[in-house]
Structure formats: C-alpha cells, structure tokens
Amino acid sequence: MDLQKKRAPLPAYDETLAWLTLSLLCLGLVMVYSASIAIAEAGKWHQPTYFLMRHALFLGISIALAAIAFQLPMHLWQRMSPYLFLLGTGLLVLVLIPGVGREVNGSQRWLPLVFVNLQPSEFMKLLVVIYAADYTVRKAAYMHSFRKGFLPMFLVMLLIGGLLLREPDFGAFAVITVIAMAILFLGGMNWKLFAGLIVMLVIGFLLLIWTSPYRMQRIIGFMDPWADPYGNGYQLSHALIAFGRGEWLGVGLGGSVEKLLYLPEAYTDFLLAVIAEELGFAGVIVVIALFAWLVMRAFAIGRQAAYMERYFSALVAQGVGVWLAVQAIINIGVNMGVLPTKGLTLPLMSFGGSSLVANCIAIALLLRVDWENRHLMRGKPV
C-alpha cells in the first residue's frame, strides 16, 4: 500500500495549541472563583459568585471575538495594521483626558463603558505585535540602517511609552517595549543597533526608577519585603506566605487563607499565589509547563510560516509568543518575589475583561497562521 495513503490526514488546526489554551482558560476560571469568593462576599456585592459570573461572561465574549478574529485572513490584518495602531494610540490619548478616563488606585488606565471598563493598554500589546510585524516586513531592506530602519520605529514606540507612563502603566510599557524589540530582532535588525538599544533601554529604565519615588519604594520593598510587611512589602510578604503554606501539593482547592482579605488583588495580579497555596508546587509547575508549551507552539508555528516565506505571519506568531512569555514570566516572578511588584495579569487566567479579550484574540491569530500554513501545505488557497 502506498505510504501516502497510510499517513494520517493533517488536522485542520493546531489541536495542541487549542487544548493548551482551553486548559489555561478553564484553570483560570476555577482559580478566579476560588480566589475571589471572600472579597465578593465581604465587599459591596455580597454575592460569592460575583467575580465568577463576570469572568465567565468575559470568557464568553473573548471566545466569540476570537472566533470572529480567526475568520480574517492574515493579509487583511497586515493591511489594517496601521489603522488599528492609530486606533489604539487614540484610545491611549483618550484615557488620559480628565473626566473621560477612570482613575483607580492612582492610575488612570480605564475607559468606563456601560457595564465594563476598557483598558486600552491591554489591546495595545496586541496591536504592537501586528504593527511591528508589518513595519519589519515593509522595512526589511533597511533593517541594518539606523535612520531608515530603527529610528522611525523608535520614535513611534517613544510616543506609546510616553502615553503609558502618563497613566502610569510601567508594566505594560515594559511588555510592549520587549515585544517591539523582539520582533525587530527576529526581523533581522543589525545586532549592533540591537545591542545599543538594549543599553539605552537599561539606562532608561534605571532613570525611570531613580526619578520616581513610588517606583523606588517598590524596588526597596521587593528587595526586603519583611522590612516593612505592613507597608511597601505587604503584597509580596503575603504572596510568599501563600507559597510557603502550599508546600508540595497545597492545602486543597478552596482552602487558601491568604485570599481571605489578606492578599490584595488575589484574583488578578496575584492569582498564582493562591494557586501555589491551594495546589502547591505541583500546581505552579503545571501552570508554568502549560505556558512554556504554548509559547513553544507559537514559535514553531512562526518558524513554519517563515519557512514558507510568509514573513508577516511568522513575526505575528513569534510576537504573540514573546508577549505571552514575557508577561507570564513577569507575573510569575512578581508572585514569587524575584521581580518587583507590577500590575500585570497572568495571561489567559487572571480576572480582567480587557486582558482576556486581547489574549484570546492573540491565540486566534496564532491558530489562523497555523490554519493558513496547513492549507498552503495542501495546496489550497487561504
């Protein structure tokens, strides 16, 4: 019998990527419910399932929008990239207008809609992936030129960075900077320019920390959270207590003590600390393994697209991989006390409508790139 006939047919999409995403979403839904019961019942809502129902609603909206995004071919995303980027920039400006943007805990990052708050910086991460990929492909011949290749993108990102720091949202600024740098590097930027950019960014980040008292206090609190456990080190000290209580296998689902109004942002930025307490070291390793596998799939899809000379699609796939990896690493590092405290969610898992929608659309683009790769391998049009 012909070997070709024996070979199993190629699936229509990356089933591994889909199952990894579904696993993270489902685990996130369960843990958001567990981490938010106490604050939902004790707060103004007096309803234990308040955050569960909202997160489930956000999840449904995210999956619906991701399904729509999947239907759009990658060449259309490339054509729309400048306009989408301008839209995202406009939203970042809009959120800073007094009376329009909503301020929470000293940060003006949200646009109040009817029932939800929109956080433009979350969508800007996705839009930077698309825009930087399109820019790199268009400027491929000038990637070794400082004036024609590097400088225009640097000025654009300087504008975006300035808007984000005005909110302020230092975490989003850091993630977006890394995304843009990584895509330029993957697109063939001159290594000397890239090394110079790294040095400039390190100096810039140090200056931002040095000239900002509240950022400096966060660094001090991070270096020794027990020196001020009721002040600057409060969040981190309670996160570390949660990790310590969890030990190897955790205290059991729902058994966390730190979520009982001790650990702030337990269902958003510090969700992993609750996972560590309830599911233990084993649960944390599972989460890290799922993210690592997902990122590897993103880069594998990107490599396949590059091999087929679909460079925009390749850079989008790898840019999404960089984004999810960097944000997950920062969130995990913050929860474990190896990085200073930053307001970044755990992708696909933490509570937050804007973050969930942006992450799911990013996964939809990954699936679309892979779907187009498979169709072209079969000789079918996309």
Side-chain angles (χ1 to χ4, degrees):
M1 186 180 292
D2 187 11
L3 291 176
Q4 187 66 28
K5 294 180 180 178
K6 288 183 177 180
R7 188 178 300 165
L10 188 68
Y13 62 95
D14 192 321
E15 296 177 353
T16 301
L17 176 61
W19 280 110
L20 287 169
T21 304
L22 185 61
S23 299
L24 287 167
L25 291 173
C26 291
L27 181 59
L29 181 65
V30 172
M31 295 312 303
V32 163
Y33 179 41
S34 178
S36 65
I37 292 177
I39 190 170
E41 195 167 24
K44 60 182 180 181
W45 307 282
H46 302 294
Q47 174 55 258
T49 60
Y50 175 80
F51 289 103
L52 169 67
M53 299 306 294
R54 285 180 67 84
H55 192 73
L57 176 63
F58 292 149
L59 188 54
I61 293 171
S62 300
I63 293 173
L65 292 176
I68 295 171
F70 178 80
Q71 304 303 318
L72 303 179
M74 292 307 296
H75 69 81
L76 185 58
W77 284 102
Q78 185 173 9
R79 194 183 311 158
M80 295 190 305
S81 63
Y83 308 106
L84 291 173
F85 189 77
L86 285 174
L87 175 62
T89 305
L91 291 176
L92 288 181
V93 172
L94 194 63
V95 80
L96 295 174
I97 298 175
V100 177
R102 182 185 178 192
E103 184 176 333
V104 178
N105 296 329
S107 297
Q108 195 163 320
R109 304 176 185 175
W110 296 268
L111 290 172
L113 303 180
V114 180
F115 298 108
V116 295
N117 293 317
L118 180 72
Q119 190 172 356
S121 60
E122 290 295 335
F123 294 98
M124 202 64 201
K125 296 169 188 173
L126 174 63
L127 300 181
V128 164
V129 169
I130 299 169
Y131 178 77
D134 174 56
Y135 176 88
T136 303
V137 171
R138 285 189 289 109
K139 299 282 188 176
Y142 303 110
M143 280 294 103
H144 291 277
S145 169
F146 175 82
R147 185 172 63 86
K148 294 182 178 180
F150 168 72
L151 189 59
M153 188 64 176
F154 177 76
L155 294 176
V156 169
M157 295 314 299
L158 201 62
L159 169 65
I160 299 303
L163 293 173
L164 289 170
L165 292 175
R166 286 280 296 171
E167 294 184 5
D169 194 344
F170 189 75
F173 171 61
V175 172
I176 285 173
T177 300
V178 173
I179 291 170
M181 285 176 52
I183 291 177
L184 289 174
F185 179 73
L186 292 168
M189 176 189 277
N190 183 291
W191 71 269
K192 293 180 180 179
L193 288 177
F194 187 76
L197 179 60
I198 293 287
V199 172
M200 289 170 58
L201 285 172
V202 169
I203 294 172
F205 278 121
L206 291 175
L207 286 174
L208 284 172
I209 292 169
W210 184 264
T211 57
S212 176
Y214 87 92
R215 292 193 186 105
M216 181 62 74
Q217 290 301 315
R218 282 190 172 186
I219 295 295
I220 294 171
F222 149 73
M223 293 175 67
D224 186 8
W226 307 109
D228 187 13
Y230 297 105
N232 293 321
Y234 184 81
Q235 277 184 307
L236 180 53
S237 61
H238 280 278
L240 294 176
I241 291 171
F243 271 85
R245 291 193 74 248
E247 298 185 348
W248 290 102
L249 298 177
V251 297
L253 187 62
S256 168
V257 171
E258 287 301 318
K259 71 183 182 185
L260 303 178
L261 308 183
Y262 293 106
L263 177 63
E265 312 296 340
Y267 55 97
T268 54
D269 301 346
F270 283 86
L271 184 67
L272 188 73
V274 178
I275 293 174
E277 187 176 4
E278 296 190 348
L279 305 182
F281 178 76
V284 173
I285 288 298
V286 167
V287 170
I288 294 174
L290 288 173
F291 274 112
W293 199 352
L294 187 150
V295 171
M296 285 191 293
R297 288 306 310 147
F299 275 88
I301 291 169
R303 281 195 304 270
Q304 187 180 45
Y307 179 76
M308 301 172 72
E309 298 184 354
R310 303 179 62 238
Y311 299 117
F312 171 75
S313 296
L315 290 173
V316 167
Q318 293 172 340
V320 169
V322 169
W323 166 21
L324 297 178
V326 169
Q327 185 157 331
I329 288 170
I330 292 176
N331 181 275
I332 293 168
V334 166
N335 276 255
M336 297 177 67
V338 297
L339 290 173
T341 303
K342 286 310 309 162
L344 284 174
T345 57
L346 189 60
L348 298 168
M349 295 186 69
S350 293
F351 179 82
S354 298
S355 175
L356 202 56
V357 169
N359 293 160
C360 286
I361 292 176
I363 296 296
L365 291 185
L366 268 180
L367 289 168
R368 179 71 196 193
V369 172
D370 176 73
W371 184 87
E372 291 186 3
N373 287 346
R374 291 168 190 250
H375 265 59
L376 290 170
M377 288 171 64
R378 295 188 181 103
K380 298 180 179 180
V382 295

